[in-house]
Amino acid sequence: MRSYQPDLTPPWKRSAPVPEVPAEADLVVEEISTGYCGAVIRCEKTAQGPTVTLEDRFGKHRVFPMEPRGFLLEGRVVTLVRPSAAAAVRPARTASGSVAVPGARARVARAGRIYVEGRHDAELVERVWGDDLRIEGVVVEYLEGVDDLPAVVREFSPGPDARLGVLVDHLVPGSKESRIADQVTDENVLVVGHPYIDVWEAVKPSSVGITAWPVVPRGQDWKTGVCRALGWPENTGAAWQHILSKVHSYRDLEPALLGSVEHLIDFVTAPAE
């Protein structure tokens, strides 16, 4: 007969129990040792033990062992466990990858704004982040061009309670856009961009059904040149509507644009210090 062995470990040295959480699809967690954050895609049995596959906001996957106390959920340490078969229903998500909030009402618009360079940029941001922006009360407006950005910033009069985020096309070192952006030094303004000549290029070619975006010779209108190279009618408005119709979620966009827009949303919604 096995005798009872009491636990003589002092209470202050014992590990506090942590909750066990079913690793249901789309649950967003952070792996403690690496800081990798992502949504649960699937769980699997392996010879080394159960694993969980996480997908980050850029669509990349990583596999982690489901070790005790191995993950953070909303800042709390948890142990992920395999979900029951009945937990197959996936929660709804917005096009940006965020968990949808059923019945959520649009928040009253904040004083802060996000400006984007061009109507097409604004339409793309609305398509992917529109639900998130309405819940956060963030209004997106578009600039006719970046040339007047310093004057636009002065007219907006940003402050701690009215931050301004600006998304600029072709923001690369040495470009005209980068020189103009460098003139904006207000700490309540964040100017970020993407490396593409036009926001069309921020849509993954595979989503549009092409192998790559064409290289258009300098001196030609880029959008018209793209239409010519792809054999599309030279109607850039119709071409854009075709491209936009192929964008269903963040998975259809390049990481360079995703990171910039997420950064802007975080900046304008951060509480004033």
Side-chain angles (χ1 to χ4, degrees):
M1 181 175 178
R2 193 173 183 178
S3 61
Y4 170 71
Q5 296 292 333
D7 183 359
L8 301 179
T9 305
W12 60 87
K13 289 188 177 181
R14 296 175 189 171
S15 297
V18 300
E20 292 187 346
V21 177
E24 298 178 2
D26 286 333
L27 179 74
V28 178
V29 295
E30 178 182 335
E31 202 277 329
I32 287 181
S33 64
T34 63
Y36 186 92
C37 184
V40 173
I41 299 299
R42 60 182 173 272
C43 297
E44 296 177 299
K45 289 183 178 179
T46 71
Q48 291 75 36
T51 64
V52 61
T53 300
L54 302 182
E55 179 186 69
D56 69 10
R57 64 183 182 182
F58 303 120
K60 295 181 179 179
H61 292 187
R62 284 189 64 178
V63 180
F64 297 98
M66 295 171 66
E67 296 180 344
R69 308 174 65 91
F71 298 86
L72 292 176
L73 174 63
E74 297 180 350
R76 295 186 308 152
V77 177
V78 299
T79 296
L80 290 186
V81 296
R82 290 174 58 84
S84 64
V89 178
R90 298 170 66 92
R93 300 183 77 85
T94 67
S96 72
S98 302
V99 176
V101 182
R105 295 184 178 182
R107 178 173 176 168
V108 175
R110 295 173 182 266
R113 291 288 189 274
I114 291 178
Y115 284 0
V116 298
E117 188 186 357
R119 187 179 297 276
H120 292 179
D121 303 61
E123 290 176 345
L124 187 60
V125 169
E126 163 62 27
R127 190 171 189 89
V128 176
W129 288 275
D131 290 340
D132 299 14
L133 292 167
R134 278 182 283 278
I135 290 176
E136 294 290 349
V138 178
V139 175
V140 175
E141 301 182 12
Y142 72 94
L143 299 167
E144 292 294 341
V146 74
D147 292 11
D148 297 326
L149 180 59
V152 169
V153 170
R154 287 194 297 271
E155 182 178 355
F156 183 82
S157 298
D161 295 315
R163 293 178 177 172
L164 177 62
V166 183
L167 180 68
V168 177
D169 294 342
H170 199 227
L171 192 63
V172 296
S175 67
K176 176 192 75 172
E177 291 81 1
S178 66
R179 291 192 295 271
I180 294 173
D182 288 343
Q183 298 176 38
V184 178
T185 57
D186 192 307
E187 63 180 6
N188 297 301
V189 180
L190 175 65
V191 181
V192 299
H194 55 74
Y196 311 113
I197 295 174
D198 190 274
V199 78
W200 289 19
E201 282 191 293
V203 180
K204 291 180 178 178
S206 58
S207 296
V208 185
I210 59 178
T211 57
W213 288 104
V215 176
V216 178
R218 296 189 64 172
Q220 290 188 23
D221 177 74
W222 188 85
K223 293 176 182 176
T224 302
V226 166
C227 291
R228 288 174 183 167
L230 295 177
W232 295 350
E234 294 182 21
N235 181 332
T236 58
W240 169 243
Q241 291 306 313
H242 168 71
I243 296 167
L244 188 62
S245 72
K246 303 299 182 181
V247 177
H248 304 292
S249 76
Y250 71 96
R251 292 183 175 90
D252 296 308
L253 302 182
E254 298 287 358
L257 178 65
L258 292 173
S260 292
V261 176
E262 296 282 355
H263 195 183
L264 289 177
I265 294 174
D266 290 345
F267 178 76
V268 301
T269 58
E273 297 180 356

